[in-house]
């Protein structure tokens, strides 16, 4: 029963939001990567017979944006774990910790 008691400290809303963000980031990266691949190969090279080199750079930029969004969602999930339930009472119990928690909440949010 020890492990089941610890499940109450888990921020399920933050966990579900993180899963939804990961799915959204995957769809975002996959669809934009495939759309640019179709534009580069089929339209530019197949139809117009010329190469646009900067579109492949845009493809990589979209992937980097997706990775940054995923990393930011992980940071928000960790913050959600630290600011929920008994963890908040144990970690952010002093006056200095309360102010530090507010500053970190303002910084992360």
């Amino acid at each position: 029963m020890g492990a089941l008691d610890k499940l109450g400290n888990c921020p399920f809303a933050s966990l579900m939001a993180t899963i939804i963000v990961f799915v959204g980031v995957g769809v975002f990266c996959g669809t934009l990567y495939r759309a640019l691949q179709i534009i580069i190969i089929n339209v530019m090279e197949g139809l117009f017979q010329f190469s646009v080199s900067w579109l492949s750079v845009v493809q990589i930029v979209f992937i980097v944006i997706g990775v940054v969004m995923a990393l930011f969602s992980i940071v928000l999930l960790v913050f959600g774990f630290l600011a929920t339930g008994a963890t908040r009472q144990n970690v952010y119990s002093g006056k200095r910790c309360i102010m530090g928690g507010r500053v970190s909440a303002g910084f992360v949010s």
Side-chain angles (χ1 to χ4, degrees), residues 25 29 62-72:
V25 166
C29 288
F62 281 138
I63 298 300
V64 170
I65 289 171
V67 169
V68 169
M69 289 186 331
L71 289 175
F72 189 64

Side-chain angles (χ1 to χ4, degrees), residues 4-35:
L4 291 177
D5 293 335
K6 297 294 180 183
L7 282 177
N9 294 334
C10 179
F12 289 109
S14 297
L15 191 60
M16 289 301 297
T18 303
I19 291 170
I20 291 170
V21 166
F22 279 143
V23 169
V25 166
V27 169
F28 172 79
C29 288
T31 56
L32 285 177
Y33 187 83
R34 181 68 178 141

Side-chain angles (χ1 to χ4, degrees), residues 47-85:
L47 185 63
F48 297 121
Q49 283 83 29
F50 68 93
S51 178
V52 182
S53 61
W54 59 269
L55 279 178
S56 60
V57 174
V58 171
Q59 219 172 6
I60 302 298
V61 168
F62 281 138
I63 298 300
V64 170
I65 289 171
V67 169
V68 169
M69 289 186 331
L71 289 175
F72 189 64
S73 69
I74 290 172
V75 168
L76 289 176
L77 178 67
V78 168
F79 185 75
F81 274 111
L82 290 177
T84 303

